[in-house]
């Protein structure tokens, strides 16, 4: 664990989790969806590592990045059409290849038993998010689930975090954001929340360089990481 710059840190009443790269490893499913879309236009397949680098800005940004990487960038009405085609494809590739990240169920159970409110905030569409969380039986732990289409502005804007906290009845200074990328750090900072990042997620920038309050190896380290962050504040 690496402690970053200290900020005011109070005992947490709530934890907000990112989804892709934080709670779930969804890159194989997302890659399958992207490649089905590209194949429909006779374009070459992309590798999982290529698609993983595109995850985090929502489905629209994913499609734009995928076509750019394929050598056939789209814009305007052509990009809008590709996004319409992607919608049903994306919904067919939500849970077939997706797996939970290590320690998810154990950590959510730990905080649930301790009375900590929890929510998921993601740029993934709301219905897709709920379907995935239901598939893995995680909704019972969560008091708020906010997808990208439930707010006006995607992360790194704070909208999703603030909506989730409003649903949980918790102030930002009493909550923690847990994610894997600069998008999560930006959203947490804009919302006025401390943030912990996990290694092994979907970021092309080393997590130590993104500016989180603390970085830890996995979700299993989160309880001790929170204690360490509180002691450093």
């Amino acid at each position: 664990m690496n402690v970053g710059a200290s900020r005011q840190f109070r005992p947490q009443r709530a934890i907000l989790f990112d989804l892709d790269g934080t709670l779930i490893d969804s890159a194989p499913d997302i890659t399958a969806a992207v490649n089905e879309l590209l194949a429909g236009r006779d374009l070459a397949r992309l590798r999982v590592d290529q698609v993983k680098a595109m995850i985090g800005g929502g489905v629209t940004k994913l499609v734009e990045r995928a076509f750019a990487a394929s050598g056939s960038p789209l814009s305007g009405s052509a990009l809008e059409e590709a996004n319409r085609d992607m919608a049903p494809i994306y919904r067919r590739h939500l849970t077939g290849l997706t797996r939970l990240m290590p320690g998810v169920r154990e950590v959510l159970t730990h905080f649930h038993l301790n009375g900590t409110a929890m929510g998921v905030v993601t740029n993934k569409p709301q219905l897709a998010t709920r379907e995935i969380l239901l598939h893995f039986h995680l909704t019972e732990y969560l008091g708020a689930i906010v997808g990208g289409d439930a707010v006006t502005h995607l992360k790194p804007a704070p909208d999703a975090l603030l909506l989730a906290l409003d649903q949980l009845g918790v102030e930002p200074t009493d909550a923690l954001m847990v994610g894997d990328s600069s998008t999560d750090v930006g959203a947490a900072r804009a919302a006025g929340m401390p943030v912990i990042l996990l290694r092994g997620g979907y970021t092309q920038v080393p997590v130590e360089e993104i500016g989180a309050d603390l970085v830890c190896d996995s979700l299993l380290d989160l309880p001790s990481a929170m204690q360490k962050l509180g002691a450093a504040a």
Side-chain angles (χ1 to χ4, degrees):
M1 297 181 294
N2 294 328
V3 176
S6 295
R7 292 172 173 83
Q8 183 180 10
F9 190 87
R10 306 196 316 213
Q12 263 53 59
R13 293 179 54 210
I15 303 173
L16 301 182
F17 294 94
D18 174 51
L19 185 60
D20 297 291
T22 300
L23 296 183
I24 61 171
D25 180 11
S26 53
D29 260 325
I30 294 174
T31 302
V34 165
N35 283 331
E36 183 176 331
L37 178 67
L38 294 176
R41 287 165 167 77
D42 296 320
L43 296 173
R45 297 171 60 85
L46 298 177
R47 302 185 309 274
V48 172
D49 64 300
Q50 290 177 290
V51 175
K52 187 180 290 189
M54 304 172 188
I55 297 172
V59 179
T60 298
K61 184 60 68 174
L62 171 71
V63 170
E64 180 181 356
R65 291 167 175 165
F67 277 91
S70 73
S72 300
L74 299 179
S75 61
S77 60
L79 180 58
E80 292 175 3
E81 180 182 356
N83 274 300
R84 286 194 296 270
D85 292 344
M86 182 59 154
I89 296 172
Y90 192 83
R91 288 194 295 269
R92 290 198 294 270
H93 295 279
L94 294 178
T95 59
L97 301 173
T98 294
R99 299 292 181 265
L100 291 178
M101 298 294 273
V104 168
R105 202 171 303 281
E106 295 91 332
V107 167
L108 294 188
T109 299
H110 168 81
F111 286 111
H112 179 69
L113 293 176
N114 284 354
T116 303
M118 290 178 286
V120 164
V121 288
T122 174
N123 286 340
K124 188 184 291 291
Q126 184 90 0
L127 288 177
T129 299
R130 286 190 172 276
E131 183 171 334
I132 292 167
L133 293 171
L134 283 167
H135 174 81
F136 288 109
H137 305 287
L138 299 183
T139 54
E140 62 194 83
Y141 301 104
L142 303 170
I145 299 170
V146 179
D149 52 355
V151 293
T152 302
H153 302 291
L154 301 177
K155 295 184 296 180
D159 301 36
L161 283 65
L162 295 175
L163 177 57
L165 292 176
D166 183 63
Q167 293 175 0
L168 295 174
V170 176
E171 293 296 321
T173 51
D174 293 322
L176 170 72
M177 178 69 200
V178 177
D180 68 310
S181 72
S182 58
T183 300
D184 299 310
V185 172
R189 294 292 176 242
M193 297 170 57
V195 55
I196 290 176
L197 290 186
L198 307 175
R199 293 187 178 91
Y202 301 165
T203 175
Q204 300 304 296
V205 180
V207 287
E208 292 82 3
E209 299 177 9
I210 297 177
D213 293 289
L214 191 145
V215 174
C216 56
D217 291 330
S218 78
L219 281 168
L220 290 170
D221 295 323
L222 186 57
S224 61
M226 290 171 62
Q227 292 180 352
K228 186 171 184 178
L229 185 57

